Amino acid sequence: MPYIKNIVLFLLILSFFTGCISIKKENLGEVFQSTGAIEIKKDYKKVTKLVIKLKNKLDKRNPRAYDKDMASKIYSEIDSLENNLELKFKNSSVNSYKSYLQIAFSKDDIKNRNDYLILGLYKQIYEAYDISSSYKITAFSYDKEKLQRLYHNLQILSWKIKVEKDLNDNYLFLTWQNNWQIELERKVKNGLKPTWNDFQNLAYIKSGEENIFGYSNFSFEHTILHMKNRVEMTLERLGIEPTEMSINAIKSLFIFL
């Protein structure tokens, strides 16, 4: 009887693995994962796709603020969920996501500012979700503190990208602003007290490309908001109630968390 039982057990094991042959390699690990872990993996894949979307929008709006030769490498890095690229700053390699983000929002004249922002954001996502570990068996294998930090930094980023300016009082990143608003702001800085005629003669208004009563561009803010919402879903899967930072708290912070 033991002999027969061993044969039956062998056949059951064989049939199980034979049946799994058709499963894709990427999905094979999910057989042993909890539902929560699988959903969190979907969360970070969605978040990284949004980082790619943000880069594309940021580079189009700020075409002089990124390295065109590096663009394809950065896209490939994020799309393939790798973490090999390191930029240099003042001849030294930049390692931590905090350093990337601080450089991106420095008031000094920063070359390729967009690249530091995008890689800093991606590197924090990579670290918070521990993407390098391939897959987690259960959702509770994730580091809750790192994910909460990411959630708060997205709130800080959403604010800073809209309002931060350099030493010459120019916006670090053009996002929500219409072109006519930037042109008008420059003229006001130079002493202009605008009249209605001055408004009508602004280049983008005069050409008909923009309208004084047109809406500002909130698509950047929406993209970051979607990232934040996805991280919020992750936290809720882990049984954590996400906390919103007040504007006063965000304004008081000079560095990212």
Side-chain angles (χ1 to χ4, degrees), residues 240-253:
I240 300 169
E241 184 177 351
T243 55
E244 294 289 331
M245 300 177 69
S246 69
I247 292 297
N248 287 335
I250 291 173
K251 286 180 179 179
S252 68
L253 291 171

Side-chain angles (χ1 to χ4, degrees), residues 14 69 90 102 124 135 170 236 252:
L14 182 63
D69 294 330
K90 295 182 178 179
Q102 292 308 121
Q124 184 177 13
Y135 73 89
N170 296 313
E236 288 173 349
S252 68

Side-chain angles (χ1 to χ4, degrees), residues 99-130:
S99 296
Y100 277 93
L101 292 175
Q102 292 308 121
I103 293 168
F105 285 95
S106 169
K107 291 185 178 295
D108 295 327
D109 184 20
I110 301 296
K111 187 178 180 181
N112 304 323
R113 192 183 292 274
N114 295 4
D115 296 342
Y116 289 102
L117 171 58
I118 293 299
L119 277 177
L121 175 57
Y122 172 66
K123 285 178 182 295
Q124 184 177 13
I125 293 164
Y126 193 91
E127 179 182 315
Y129 279 99
D130 195 16

Side-chain angles (χ1 to χ4, degrees), residues 76-91:
S76 178
E77 175 97 338
I78 300 171
D79 190 53
S80 58
L81 297 175
E82 295 179 350
N83 188 28
N84 300 316
L85 280 180
E86 284 189 356
L87 300 183
K88 287 193 173 183
F89 184 68
K90 295 182 178 179
N91 296 320

Side-chain angles (χ1 to χ4, degrees), residues 2 9 37 43 46 77 79-80 90 98 105 114 130 143 156 158 167 171 179 195 198 200 206 213 217 241 246 248 253:
L9 181 60
D43 289 341
K46 178 63 177 177
E77 175 97 338
D79 190 53
S80 58
K90 295 182 178 179
K98 284 187 184 180
F105 285 95
N114 295 4
D130 195 16
D143 190 319
I156 297 168
S158 181
L167 295 173
Y171 286 104
N179 290 297
T195 63
D198 292 321
Q200 290 179 311
K206 195 171 184 178
F213 304 106
N217 183 359
E241 184 177 351
S246 69
N248 287 335
L253 291 171

Side-chain angles (χ1 to χ4, degrees), residues 31-211:
V31 172
F32 304 101
Q33 284 184 293
S34 69
T35 301
I38 293 170
E39 292 303 314
I40 289 176
K41 187 174 183 179
K42 290 179 183 177
D43 289 341
Y44 73 65
K45 284 188 174 182
K46 178 63 177 177
V47 173
T48 54
K49 293 298 182 188
L50 288 167
V51 175
I52 290 174
K53 182 179 180 180
L54 181 62
K55 174 173 171 53
N56 183 261
K57 293 174 67 63
L58 205 59
D59 291 350
K60 284 182 178 179
R61 191 71 182 90
N62 303 266
R64 297 180 181 177
Y66 76 102
D67 185 343
K68 293 175 176 61
D69 294 330
M70 280 289 294
S72 60
K73 294 179 181 178
I74 294 175
Y75 279 121
S76 178
E77 175 97 338
I78 300 171
D79 190 53
S80 58
L81 297 175
E82 295 179 350
N83 188 28
N84 300 316
L85 280 180
E86 284 189 356
L87 300 183
K88 287 193 173 183
F89 184 68
K90 295 182 178 179
N91 296 320
S92 297
S93 293
V94 185
N95 305 115
S96 72
Y97 74 80
K98 284 187 184 180
S99 296
Y100 277 93
L101 292 175
Q102 292 308 121
I103 293 168
F105 285 95
S106 169
K107 291 185 178 295
D108 295 327
D109 184 20
I110 301 296
K111 187 178 180 181
N112 304 323
R113 192 183 292 274
N114 295 4
D115 296 342
Y116 289 102
L117 171 58
I118 293 299
L119 277 177
L121 175 57
Y122 172 66
K123 285 178 182 295
Q124 184 177 13
I125 293 164
Y126 193 91
E127 179 182 315
Y129 279 99
D130 195 16
I131 295 175
S132 62
S133 70
S134 182
Y135 73 89
K136 302 282 190 180
I137 294 176
T138 69
F140 296 101
S141 302
Y142 286 93
D143 190 319
K144 297 176 183 179
E145 288 186 8
K146 288 183 178 180
L147 287 164
Q148 285 178 308
R149 201 174 299 131
L150 171 61
Y151 185 72
H152 288 147
N153 275 347
L154 285 169
Q155 294 173 52
I156 297 168
L157 173 61
S158 181
W159 172 259
K160 281 183 172 291
I161 203 172
K162 289 187 296 186
V163 303
E164 289 296 318
K165 294 184 177 182
D166 62 19
L167 295 173
N168 296 315
D169 201 35
N170 296 313
Y171 286 104
L172 299 182
F173 300 96
L174 295 183
T175 56
W176 59 271
Q177 307 90 338
N178 289 308
N179 290 297
W180 70 263
Q181 291 171 305
I182 300 301
E183 183 185 356
L184 180 63
E185 187 172 316
R186 264 192 219 109
K187 290 186 175 183
V188 169
K189 286 177 187 175
N190 291 329
L192 176 71
K193 295 181 179 179
T195 63
W196 179 246
N197 189 55
D198 292 321
F199 275 97
Q200 290 179 311
N201 283 306
L202 293 169
Y204 282 86
I205 300 298
K206 195 171 184 178
S207 67
E209 293 177 68
E210 294 180 354
N211 187 303

